[in-house]
């Protein structure tokens, strides 16, 4: 499974907090400045990515030159965030001053007092007010701020523009409703043997994961507000399964092979025979770089009829044991490296020069704010990918509310694999029965979790 609880998105620059290795790379204090403050910062790119690591080290040197008296030490532990070692590392005094946490773990880290209240330091991030309010809110508890949003992704509709054109569809006007998706899928499937109009997962937890994506898009919920009961046996949940059932058995637009595991659908998409699938922007990057798809063939647009979008991402937090001076320096590093147009991870010209794919809009923490627009202008100006193929996604994603994965996501996804595989493998499958059975299993699991 490509995305799951605790996994975060790799940015188009390849300089994301997730590109980590192992070890520590201390940097000396800036020449002429006293080493009054020393901070450690997580997520230096691994030695296996030498160009990205060199760019990081250059940024560290530039930051220290601009901040005399501050010494920065980088660590490249992989993964940057490991929920199994996070607590012991913090308790043992080994946690970096600046560390990363995926969205799925925000609440736990904040509730357990494992992140500093940084409310007084948010002004150090010069573009703080341009960060999406809904993402800042995810890091705010009882009026106190505990982190700086760093990466955001939301799901859209990835589609093959070449197949659209071949089927007589306009690739510049992708579907905006599920009815339009269904009609487009029929036309693409009609191109001949081996063509699949719409691809979907059915197992390996990816089926339940994509069910959740589709359910959120229709306005449904996986769990009740208190997280204690299943909520997916709903009109929205039934609409998700009924649409898939009808596309598979009435329209015959989904092919006859059950797709289990993240790679299966990605391979099919890369073959050039699949018209559409749900996915975040990095699906385009992966289809092209890992599964040999033609970069010019793929586009992404907004989620059809979206009321919300399954979203993920990460934030930088400050060690609760940091001194005020360390906290301030840490926030200034976060501002310099991760939140400044044209610098650090947003130095798209440098990213392009060192061979990273630039252009896929896979990080929207700034939305359509002035900073967000400036970033998009820089991304387009330095693009190595066909950015016009992604513009409808950019336009839609800026306004669609994000919705995080549910608690106990992997257990729930495994349960929801069953109704997904049911409607895609059995013509006589009962949507009501499949959802009722899944609901019973989910409630039993939740009760056992307490």
């Amino acid at each position: 499974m490509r995305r799951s609880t605790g996994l975060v998105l790799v940015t188009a620059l390849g300089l994301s907090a997730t590109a980590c290795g192992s070890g520590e790379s201390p940097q000396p204090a800036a020449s002429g400045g006293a080493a009054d403050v020393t901070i450690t910062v997580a997520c230096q790119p691994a030695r296996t990515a030498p160009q990205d690591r060199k760019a990081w080290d250059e940024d560290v040197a530039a930051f220290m030159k601009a901040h005399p008296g501050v010494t920065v030490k980088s660590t490249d532990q992989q993964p940057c965030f490991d929920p199994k070692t996070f607590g012991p590392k913090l308790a043992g005094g080994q946690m970096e001053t600046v560390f990363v946490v995926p969205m799925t773990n925000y609440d736990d880290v904040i509730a357990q007092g494992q992140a500093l209240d940084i409310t007084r330091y948010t002004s150090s991030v010069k573009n703080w007010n341009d960060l999406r309010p809904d993402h800042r809110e995810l890091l705010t508890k009882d009026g106190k701020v505990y982190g700086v949003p760093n990466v955001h992704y939301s799901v859209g509709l990835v589609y093959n523009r070449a197949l659209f054109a071949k089927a007589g569809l306009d690739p510049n006007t992708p579907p905006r409703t599920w009815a339009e998706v269904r009609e487009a899928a029929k036309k693409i499937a009609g191109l001949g043997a081996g063509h699949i109009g719409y691809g979907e997962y059915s197992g390996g937890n990816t089926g339940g994961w994509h069910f959740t994506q589709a359910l959120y898009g229709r306005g449904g919920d996986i769990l009740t507000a208190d997280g204690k009961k299943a909520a997916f046996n709903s009109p929205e949940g039934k609409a998700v399964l009924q649409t898939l059932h009808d596309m598979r058995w009435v329209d015959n637009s989904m092919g006859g092979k059950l797709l289990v595991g993240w790679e299966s659908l990605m391979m099919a998409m890369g073959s050039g025979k699949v018209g559409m699938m749900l996915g975040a922007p990095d699906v385009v990057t992966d289809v092209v770089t890992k599964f040999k798809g033609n970069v010019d063939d793929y586009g992404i647009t907004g989620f059809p009829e979206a009321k919300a979008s399954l979203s993920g991402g990460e934030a930088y937090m400050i060690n609760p044991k940091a001194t005020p001076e360390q906290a301030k320096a840490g926030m200034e590093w976060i501002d310099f490296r991760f939140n400044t147009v044209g610098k650090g991870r947003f130095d798209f010209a440098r990213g392009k020069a060192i061979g990273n794919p630039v252009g896929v809009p896979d990080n929207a923490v700034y939305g359509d704010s002035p900073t967000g627009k400036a970033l998009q202008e820089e991304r387009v100006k330095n693009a190595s990918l066909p950015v016009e193929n992604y513009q409808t996604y950019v336009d839609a994603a800026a306004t669609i509310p994000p919705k995080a994965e549910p608690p106990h996501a992997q257990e729930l996804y495994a349960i929801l694999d069953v109704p997904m595989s049911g409607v895609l493998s059995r013509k006589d499958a009962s949507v009501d029965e499949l959802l009722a059975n899944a609901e019973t299993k989910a409630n039993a699991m939740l009760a056992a979790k307490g």
Side-chain angles (χ1 to χ4, degrees):
M1 186 175 168
R2 179 67 174 88
R3 295 189 188 279
S4 61
T5 302
L7 296 183
V8 291
L9 179 66
V10 178
T11 70
L13 279 176
L15 303 177
S16 162
T18 59
C20 307
S22 61
E24 181 174 295
S25 176
Q27 302 287 343
S31 175
D36 298 330
V37 180
T38 297
I39 61 172
T40 51
V41 296
C43 304
Q44 178 187 37
R47 287 183 172 87
T48 53
Q51 294 287 350
D52 293 342
R53 190 181 180 97
K54 180 174 180 288
W56 172 286
D57 290 344
E58 289 172 352
D59 289 342
V60 169
F63 175 79
M64 290 195 300
K65 183 176 181 180
H67 297 79
V70 177
T71 295
V72 175
K73 296 182 178 180
S74 305
T75 63
D76 62 357
Q77 171 188 313
Q78 182 175 350
C80 289
F81 177 87
D82 183 346
K84 294 179 181 178
T85 62
F86 181 83
K89 186 176 177 182
L90 185 65
Q94 298 175 319
M95 183 62 67
E96 295 87 355
T97 313
V98 180
F99 59 92
V100 73
V101 176
M103 185 184 290
T104 47
N105 295 84
Y106 290 175
D107 290 345
D108 286 344
V109 170
I110 293 170
Q112 294 175 28
Q114 295 172 326
L116 183 71
D117 171 7
I118 60 170
T119 309
R120 62 184 287 196
Y121 303 108
T122 56
S123 60
S124 296
V125 178
K126 292 184 285 292
N127 295 319
W128 175 260
N129 289 329
D130 276 0
L131 287 162
R132 284 180 59 150
D134 46 14
H135 282 275
R136 284 185 278 137
E137 184 63 29
L138 293 172
L139 292 155
T140 302
K141 181 73 172 176
D142 298 327
K144 298 177 180 179
V145 180
Y146 291 91
V148 181
N150 188 60
V151 168
H152 163 69
Y153 74 83
S154 61
V155 173
L157 183 72
V158 178
Y159 67 105
N160 187 309
R161 294 171 56 87
L163 289 183
F164 265 59
K166 190 180 293 185
L169 299 163
D170 182 358
N172 295 319
T173 310
R176 300 182 64 179
T177 67
W178 281 106
E180 291 175 357
V181 168
R182 189 170 172 180
E183 286 303 309
K186 285 193 286 187
K187 291 182 179 180
I188 292 168
L191 291 173
H195 286 85
I196 296 172
Y198 183 81
E200 189 52 280
Y201 291 112
S202 62
N205 287 28
T206 54
W209 176 46
H210 268 218
F211 174 87
T212 303
Q213 293 180 10
L215 181 71
Y216 281 3
R218 292 177 182 269
D221 292 294
I222 292 293
L223 300 179
T224 55
D226 60 9
K228 295 182 178 179
K229 293 285 186 180
F232 53 74
N233 188 6
S234 62
E236 294 86 4
K238 292 175 182 178
V240 170
L241 294 184
Q242 193 63 55
T243 296
L244 292 175
H245 176 276
D246 292 349
M247 290 177 73
R248 168 66 182 92
W249 299 106
V250 177
D251 303 342
N252 196 26
S253 63
M254 297 187 66
K257 182 179 180 181
L258 289 179
L259 300 173
V260 178
W262 175 75
E263 294 87 354
S264 60
L265 182 50
M266 298 293 286
M267 288 176 64
M269 198 74 182
S271 73
K273 292 293 185 72
V274 177
M276 295 170 284
M277 65 174 284
L278 298 181
D282 69 325
V283 165
V284 175
T285 304
D286 286 340
V287 165
V288 171
T289 60
K290 298 178 182 178
F291 300 97
K292 311 305 181 185
N294 183 339
V295 65
D296 292 323
D297 287 351
Y298 299 96
I300 182 169
T301 189
F303 198 100
E305 304 176 49
K307 294 180 174 63
S309 176
L310 177 66
S311 301
E314 67 185 29
Y316 272 105
M317 297 184 178
I318 301 293
N319 193 316
K321 296 180 181 180
T323 66
E325 293 77 17
Q326 289 175 320
K328 183 175 183 294
M331 290 291 285
E332 289 172 344
W333 164 253
I334 293 171
D335 175 65
F336 178 88
R337 167 67 183 170
F338 302 106
N339 290 278
T340 302
V341 179
K343 293 186 181 296
R345 57 98 171 253
F346 290 136
D347 187 345
F348 295 116
R350 180 177 66 184
K352 183 178 181 179
I354 64 177
N356 288 326
V358 178
V360 172
D362 60 357
N363 190 1
V365 288
Y366 279 100
D368 61 353
S369 68
T371 300
K373 291 175 181 176
L375 287 171
Q376 182 62 6
E377 288 176 5
E378 285 294 302
R379 182 183 286 116
V380 170
K381 184 171 71 174
N382 295 285
S384 60
L385 301 175
V387 293
E388 63 276 7
N389 292 1
Y390 321 130
Q391 189 59 46
T392 53
Y393 171 86
V394 172
D395 294 340
T399 59
I400 298 172
K403 197 166 185 175
E405 291 180 283
H408 316 300
Q410 297 310 312
E411 295 97 324
L412 288 164
Y413 293 166
I415 291 169
L416 289 165
D417 277 347
V418 177
M420 288 289 279
S421 63
V423 296
L424 294 175
S425 64
R426 303 199 315 271
K427 187 175 183 178
D428 63 350
S430 167
V431 168
D432 289 347
E433 182 178 336
L434 287 167
L435 282 177
N437 290 341
E439 180 182 31
T440 299
K441 292 178 182 177
N443 285 336
M445 180 274 291
L446 293 167
K449 294 283 186 180

